[in-house]
């Protein structure tokens, strides 16, 4: 159950906000009082998220007074830096909560995987988190502000997965990146944690071959796929002071898959 408005003083920057887990995270954080900067490669999708957050100004085409949408390709260094400049210009402060959900798959067996398939997934899923996190913590540290960074990895980053050498490597990298940032930033009052979702119902998993989806679902101890809201619940906890002594953690939201 959400603690009433425990994030009322937070400005939350969420990437991948236009779909799936990122959209659910925006809704949950806003529901707990946060002001949300919904960021995505697909600006229209990010705007749709802001409209779905409801409240005054959420009518079609009118940005809600206290939330805003931003377009960004997180894999581009200039774009990531510009995003933080835009967000600070819009809200006159750095984001105290940063949730990196933006991610892609380009699945293929190792024997057939192209260099481009490898490079693109690493650029978005790993370098993208590095770029956004670096820009955000530079703003937080220079302003002497505390914060909570939540990076979305995957259970695949822990155990691997057939057809995902690129994706698994990127998600394993997110864990190590986050743990290292936690070690460096604790003295600045900035916590950094990873969330490792399991098999969640989103457009990303809907692309999988049905026979694989059926196999995976049968392996989940809780017997069903998770929802984006299941992940958003954990993200909200890590964003709040209720997790004030948690940093460097990897929190699995999997229904017990690969425990
Ligand atoms: C025995 C089942 C074990 C399942 C373990 C898998 C756990 C996955 C949990 C995922 C949870 C978190 C996921 C996440 O973070 C979000 C995502 O990444 S969603 C996308 C996940 N992607 C995959 O799992 C890869 C799915 N596979 C494919 O997309 C295609 O197979 C691929 C592009 C790799 C190759 O396509 P193609 O050449 O057409 O071959 P087939 O599709 O016909 O497959 C050939 C053969 O291999 C089996 N197979 C494919 N993928 C997997 C897999 N992930 N795990 C186990 N087995 C797999 C497939 O069933 C075929 O087997 P046959 O016996 O020949 O039918
Ligand atoms: N769905 C699942 O089962 C799981 C998903 N994850 C991770 O959760 C995160 C969210 O995944 P889903 O919501 O399922 O996917 P999704 O495909 O529904 O949403 C991903 C969002 O990221 C955006 N995006 C893609 N590339 C981008 C870029 N370069 N810059 C900015 N935004 C970009 C897309 O436009 C999209 O809105 C991803 O990092 C994914 O790897 C982890 C474990 C399981």
């Amino acid at each position: 159950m959400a603690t009433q408005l425990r994030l009322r003083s937070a400005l939350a920057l969420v990437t991948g906000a236009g779909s799936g887990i990122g959209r659910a995270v925006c809704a949950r954080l806003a529901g707990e009082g946060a002001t949300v900067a919904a960021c995505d490669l697909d600006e229209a999708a990010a705007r749709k998220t802001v409209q779905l957050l409801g409240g005054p100004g959420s009518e079609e085409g009118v940005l809600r007074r206290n939330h805003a949408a931003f377009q960004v390709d997180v894999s581009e260094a200039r774009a990531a830096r510009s995003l933080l400049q835009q967000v600070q210009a819009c809200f006159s402060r750095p984001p105290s909560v940063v949730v990196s959900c933006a991610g892609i798959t380009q699945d293929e067996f190792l024997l057939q995987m192209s260099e481009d398939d490898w490079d693109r997934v690493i650029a978005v899923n790993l370098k993208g988190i590095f770029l956004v996190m670096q820009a955000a913590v530079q703003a937080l540290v220079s302003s002497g502000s505390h914060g909570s960074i939540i990076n979305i990895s995957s259970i695949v980053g822990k155990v691997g997965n057939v057809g995902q050498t690129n994706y698994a490597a990127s998600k394993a990298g997110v864990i190590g990146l986050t743990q290292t940032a936690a070690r460096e930033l604790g003295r600045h009052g900035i916590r950094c944690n990873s969330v490792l979702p399991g098999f969640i119902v989103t457009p990303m998993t809907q692309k999988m071959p049905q026979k694989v989806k059926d196999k995976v679902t049968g392996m989940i101890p809780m017997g069903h796929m998770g929802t984006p809201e299941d992940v958003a619940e954990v993200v909200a906890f890590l964003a709040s002071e209720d997790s004030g002594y948690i940093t460097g953690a990897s929190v699995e939201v999997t229904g017990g898959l690969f425990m």
Side-chain angles (χ1 to χ4, degrees):
M1 177 67 74
T3 304
Q4 189 61 23
L5 300 181
R6 64 183 167 178
L7 295 174
R8 58 184 169 278
S9 62
L11 171 60
L13 185 158
V14 181
T15 72
S19 179
I21 291 169
R23 179 168 283 175
V25 166
C26 290
R28 183 55 187 259
L29 299 185
E32 295 198 26
T35 296
V36 173
C39 313
D40 202 286
L41 182 68
D42 182 341
E43 184 175 10
R47 288 186 179 278
K48 178 66 178 177
T49 294
V50 170
Q51 286 160 6
L52 291 172
L53 297 183
S58 60
E59 298 73 25
E60 185 70 26
V62 175
L63 285 183
R64 188 176 167 200
R65 229 183 4 259
N66 64 346
H67 303 306
F70 299 85
Q71 194 278 337
V72 64
D73 178 347
V74 297
S75 71
E76 294 291 331
R78 276 197 296 271
R81 288 195 294 269
S82 172
L83 173 67
L84 267 295
Q85 290 164 356
Q86 292 173 58
V87 169
Q88 292 177 88
C90 181
F91 296 106
S92 304
R93 56 177 168 147
S96 54
V97 173
V98 179
V99 189
S100 280
C101 301
I104 61 170
T105 60
Q106 294 280 352
D107 296 343
E108 187 48 272
F109 294 118
L110 175 60
L111 287 172
Q112 286 86 39
M113 184 171 289
S114 72
E115 186 179 353
D116 286 348
D117 286 342
W118 173 271
D119 287 346
R120 186 63 189 154
V121 168
I122 297 293
V124 175
N125 294 6
L126 181 56
K127 189 174 121 178
I129 289 185
F130 159 72
L131 291 171
V132 169
M133 185 161 66
Q134 185 184 53
V137 298
Q138 283 171 339
L140 286 167
V141 170
S142 58
S143 64
S145 307
H146 291 184
S148 178
I149 311 293
I150 299 112
N151 295 324
I152 306 299
S153 176
S154 167
I155 196 66
V156 166
K158 172 184 166 185
V159 300
N161 184 28
V162 171
Q164 294 201 295
T165 46
N166 51 359
Y167 183 86
S170 75
K171 293 303 185 177
V174 169
I175 296 168
L177 167 62
T178 306
Q179 289 170 323
T180 302
R183 293 178 185 276
E184 293 184 14
L185 299 172
R187 62 192 178 93
H188 295 289
I190 299 170
R191 298 183 293 113
C192 305
N193 293 290
S194 297
V195 173
L196 281 59
F199 205 36
I200 310 297
V201 181
T202 76
M204 181 176 278
T205 48
Q206 294 313 99
K207 292 187 293 190
M208 292 170 68
Q210 189 58 44
K211 59 187 169 185
V212 178
K213 281 196 282 189
D214 294 342
K215 286 178 184 174
V216 180
T217 305
M219 295 165 60
I220 303 170
M222 291 188 71
H224 60 84
M225 293 177 74
T227 67
E229 291 72 23
D230 291 322
V231 181
E233 174 99 27
V234 174
V235 170
F237 166 69
L238 291 172
S240 77
E241 279 310 302
D242 290 344
S243 59
Y245 198 57
I246 300 176
T247 195
S250 298
V251 183
E252 298 179 14
V253 186
T254 64
L257 181 65
F258 300 129
M259 64 179 80

